[in-house]
């Protein structure tokens, strides 16, 4: 759990916790690899720090970003880390060597979100420039970009089959995109404020959203109906 003072707290038991000073400024994002071996923290100081989960030992400091790191995600195999920042950059890191393998810049405004596809071959990024962009990391090029919202796109997730992306943003809409045609297949919402974050159930059938309306909602993604 990150905080604005540059630290984060690691909890092992209800009555046991350890506070670690990780950054010189606020901790903006935290990610854990799927195998639970590594954790990464991204800060407003532009640093990315890598930690071993089992003992919270610091493993590496990655300094390539010159602006605040806004989001990060490990690839499904845990070998690669994708990070984005407030300076319009996407960076790809090799966890074995702790080096930056690639830097991409196509967005015109800062980035809010980055997510790997289930196969670990591509990442999608969401930006304040109203667009979503998809990057082929295996082959090293920008795959596709499109306007993903009538306002800044705040969050996105790949559906489990990797064939669709669901996104949300400040235009109060949820959209589902076909990853073959890049056309919007679904558009819905409740019109009660910005939708700032989302998460999918493991089967991809239920969508959870939250925003500045102070409410968390669960949606049936197929029927577009609010469950609660």
């Amino acid at each position: 759990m990150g905080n604005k003072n540059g630290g984060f707290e690691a909890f092992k038991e209800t009555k046991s916790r350890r506070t670690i000073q990780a950054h010189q400024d606020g901790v903006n994002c935290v990610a854990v690899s799927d195998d639970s071996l590594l954790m990464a923290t991204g800060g407003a100081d532009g640093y990315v720090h890598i930690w071993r989960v089992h003992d919270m030992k610091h493993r590496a400091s990655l300094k390539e970003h010159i602006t605040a790191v806004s989001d990060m995600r490990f690839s499904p195999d845990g070998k690669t880390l994708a990070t984005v920042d407030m300076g319009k950059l996407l960076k790809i890191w090799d966890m074995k060597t702790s080096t930056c393998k690639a830097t991409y810049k196509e967005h015109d405004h800062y980035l809010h979100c980055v997510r790997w596809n289930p196969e670990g071959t591509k990442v999608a990024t969401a930006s304040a420039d109203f667009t979503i962009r998809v990057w082929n990391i295996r082959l090293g090029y920008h795959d596709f970009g499109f306007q993903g919202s009538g306002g800044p796109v705040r969050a996105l997730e790949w559906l489990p089959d990797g064939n669709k992306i669901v996104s949300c943003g400040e235009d109060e809409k949820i959209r589902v995109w076909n990853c073959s045609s890049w056309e919007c297949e679904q558009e819905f919402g409740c019109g009660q404020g910005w939708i700032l974050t989302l998460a999918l159930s493991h089967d991809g059938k239920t969508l959870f959203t939250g925003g500045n309306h102070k409410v968390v909602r669960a949606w049936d993604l197929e029927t577009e109906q609010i469950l609660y």
Side-chain angles (χ1 to χ4, degrees):
M1 180 172 69
N3 64 49
K4 65 181 180 180
N5 297 318
F8 68 89
E9 295 178 330
F11 295 82
K12 288 189 176 181
E13 301 173 358
T14 303
K15 296 182 179 179
S16 175
R17 79 179 188 185
R18 180 183 177 192
T19 302
I20 301 170
Q21 189 67 30
H23 294 266
Q24 297 302 310
D25 207 335
V27 179
N28 290 343
C29 48
V30 178
V32 178
S33 60
D34 285 353
D35 57 14
S36 298
L37 294 179
L38 296 178
M39 182 183 73
T41 58
D45 57 4
Y47 275 90
V48 174
H49 292 297
I50 308 300
W51 312 79
R52 293 193 318 205
V53 170
H54 76 276
D55 59 3
M56 298 312 299
K57 183 176 181 180
H58 186 260
R59 177 178 168 181
S61 296
L62 313 179
K63 180 55 176 172
E64 288 273 346
H65 292 283
I66 60 173
T67 60
V69 180
S70 52
D71 197 27
M72 55 175 53
R73 275 297 183 278
F74 284 97
S75 59
D77 63 9
K79 295 180 180 180
T80 310
L81 179 71
T83 61
V84 293
D85 66 20
M86 305 296 280
K88 313 173 191 176
L89 297 181
L90 162 67
K91 290 184 177 289
I92 306 298
W93 306 85
D94 185 312
M95 288 294 94
K96 184 177 181 179
T97 62
S98 299
T99 57
C100 182
K101 299 197 300 182
T103 299
Y104 301 98
K105 183 179 180 180
E106 290 287 342
H107 285 286
D108 295 324
H109 215 315
Y110 52 78
L111 281 73
H112 286 300
C113 182
V114 60
R115 294 291 184 272
W116 289 88
N117 70 340
E119 294 78 19
T121 58
K122 297 181 179 183
V123 299
T125 51
S127 173
D129 66 5
F130 300 15
T131 69
I132 294 169
R133 294 189 181 275
V134 178
W135 316 78
N136 190 315
I137 303 305
R138 177 177 293 175
L139 299 179
Y141 64 85
H142 176 237
D143 193 9
F144 200 79
F146 55 94
Q147 183 163 331
S149 174
V153 186
R154 298 300 295 260
L156 56 80
E157 292 284 356
W158 296 79
L159 268 65
D161 62 8
N163 293 323
K164 295 180 181 180
I165 290 173
V166 58
S167 67
C168 66
E170 295 181 16
D171 67 348
E172 307 179 7
K173 297 291 186 180
I174 298 162
R175 293 178 173 86
V176 179
W177 304 90
N178 184 302
C179 294
S180 296
S181 65
W182 298 116
E183 294 181 353
C184 181
E185 293 190 344
Q186 294 174 251
E187 181 180 308
F188 58 98
C190 56
Q192 295 183 0
W194 294 356
I195 305 174
L196 303 178
T197 187
L198 59 78
L200 279 168
S201 60
H202 285 298
D203 61 10
K205 294 180 179 180
T206 306
L207 176 69
F208 302 89
T209 61
N212 65 354
H213 43 64
K214 305 177 184 179
V215 173
V216 175
R217 288 192 169 89
W219 303 81
D220 184 308
L221 197 57
E222 182 178 359
T223 65
E224 304 176 2
Q225 297 301 305
I226 296 175
L227 300 175
Y228 52 84

